Amino acid sequence: MTDPLERIAAALERLRPGPAAAPDFSAAGAFVWHADPDGLTPVARVSRIDVDLLVGIDRSRDTLFDNTERFARGLPANNALLWGARGMGKSSLVKAIHGKLHAEYGRLKIIEIQREDLPSINRLLHLLRGTDQRFILFCDDLSFSHDDSHYKSLKAVLDGGIEGRPDNVVLYATSNRRHLMPRDMIENERSTAISPAEAVEEKVSLSDRFGLWLGFHPCDQDQYLAMIRGYCDAHDIDIDEATLRAEAIEWQATRGSRSGRVAWQYFTDLAGRRGVTLG
C-alpha cells in the first residue's frame, strides 16, 4: 500500500504550476514580469515621453543612450544604477531611451520587474537566456530596508552566479539612494555587528556591482522653466513667457519643490485648461 504521505506529496506535485513558458517576444517591445504564477505580460503602449524633452540631464542621457545602443547592437554593455533626486527623470530616461532605440533595433525589449519579485529573477533569466532578443530588466525605485534580504537576489543579474549573467540581459535600476539603503541602516550595521566592516560591505557593495552610476540632482529655476517650454513647444501650446514664468513659479511654490515631475504636473494642468490632449 502506498504511504499516505507519499500520496499527498504526489498530489501536491501535480498541483504545482510547471515552469513558465516564454511568450511571443515579437508581440510587443515591453513586458511586465509577474511571479507566482510566473509570467510575462506584454505592454501594448508604454507610458513615456520623447527623450529630447528631458532637459538638464544631458550627460546622464548621453551616457545611458550610448551604453544601451551598444547593448542593442549585440556589444558588451554595463548594468546601470540611476540614483538621486526625486522627480528628475530617472525612470523616464530609461523608458525614453528604450523607445527611441526600439524603433531601430526591434530585438531590444524592456521588462519591468517589481522589487518584491526579485527572488524570482533566476526563473526569469532562465526564460531569457539563449533567445535571440536583447532585454533590459528595469527595476524602478529600488531600495532596501532593515532585515530586507531581497538584495541578495540581484546578484543573479549583477554577478550571474555559476552560469554567469546572460549576454542578452542588462539591468537598469533607479533609486533615490546611491547605496540602495538608508544611511541609518548602514550606521546600525556598523554599530551592532560583530564584524562591522564585513556587515556593511555585503550590502553597500551591491551598488558597486553596477558598471554605470548616473547621478541626478535637483534642477535650478532656468532648467525647470526650460522643461515646461519644451513641453509647450512639443504639443503646440502657445503661451507667452511672462505668463508661463508666473504660473510655473507659483505652481512650484505650492508644491514646495522644483523638479522635472513638478514641471510635467504644471504642464498637464496647463494642457487641460487649454483643451489639449496629451495622447
Side-chain angles (χ1 to χ4, degrees), residues 49-171:
I49 63 175
D50 191 276
V51 68
D52 295 329
L53 294 179
L54 297 173
V55 175
I57 55 173
D58 296 12
R59 181 180 177 278
S60 295
R61 178 198 63 207
D62 294 345
T63 301
L64 191 65
F65 184 90
D66 290 345
N67 188 70
T68 310
E69 184 175 34
R70 287 193 295 270
F71 177 69
R73 291 166 54 198
L75 298 172
N78 275 305
N79 300 308
L81 174 63
L82 290 70
W83 67 275
R86 299 190 309 272
M88 280 306 298
K90 298 184 293 295
S91 60
S92 295
L93 180 60
V94 173
K95 292 184 289 185
I97 285 177
H98 169 260
K100 187 176 182 69
L101 287 173
H102 178 65
E104 182 177 356
Y105 302 95
R107 293 190 307 154
L108 182 65
K109 312 295 181 178
I110 188 169
I111 298 175
E112 184 176 47
I113 181 169
Q114 302 299 321
R115 190 193 68 86
E116 56 268 24
D117 289 332
L118 286 175
S120 68
I121 204 164
N122 270 322
R123 302 196 298 273
L124 172 57
L125 293 180
H126 178 73
L127 288 180
L128 307 183
R129 189 183 299 273
T131 71
D132 62 353
Q133 311 293 317
R134 313 288 290 174
F135 299 99
I136 300 170
L137 299 191
F138 174 45
C139 188
D140 194 21
D141 198 19
L142 180 64
S143 63
F144 303 102
S145 57
H146 301 272
D147 302 321
D148 190 340
S149 62
H150 282 29
Y151 72 93
K152 295 180 179 178
S153 303
L154 273 184
K155 294 180 181 179
V157 181
L158 300 175
D159 289 339
I162 193 170
E163 290 185 290
R165 172 167 61 89
D167 292 336
N168 62 336
V169 174
V170 290
L171 173 69

Side-chain angles (χ1 to χ4, degrees), residues 260-273:
R261 180 177 297 136
V262 172
W264 179 257
Q265 289 168 345
Y266 163 73
F267 173 71
T268 300
D269 180 78
L270 174 65
R273 287 187 280 119

Side-chain angles (χ1 to χ4, degrees), residues 207-222:
S207 60
D208 292 339
R209 290 178 165 88
F210 288 89
L212 291 181
W213 278 14
L214 302 176
F216 290 70
H217 308 287
C219 62
D220 59 28
Q221 187 162 282
D222 288 342

Side-chain angles (χ1 to χ4, degrees), residues 152-192:
K152 295 180 179 178
S153 303
L154 273 184
K155 294 180 181 179
V157 181
L158 300 175
D159 289 339
I162 193 170
E163 290 185 290
R165 172 167 61 89
D167 292 336
N168 62 336
V169 174
V170 290
L171 173 69
Y172 288 177
T174 70
S175 178
N176 295 331
R177 303 166 180 155
R178 186 176 64 173
H179 290 301
L180 303 177
M181 60 192 65
R183 182 175 295 275
D184 68 314
M185 181 178 175
I186 297 173
E187 296 303 325
N188 182 62
E189 291 279 7
R190 286 197 176 103
S191 63
T192 60

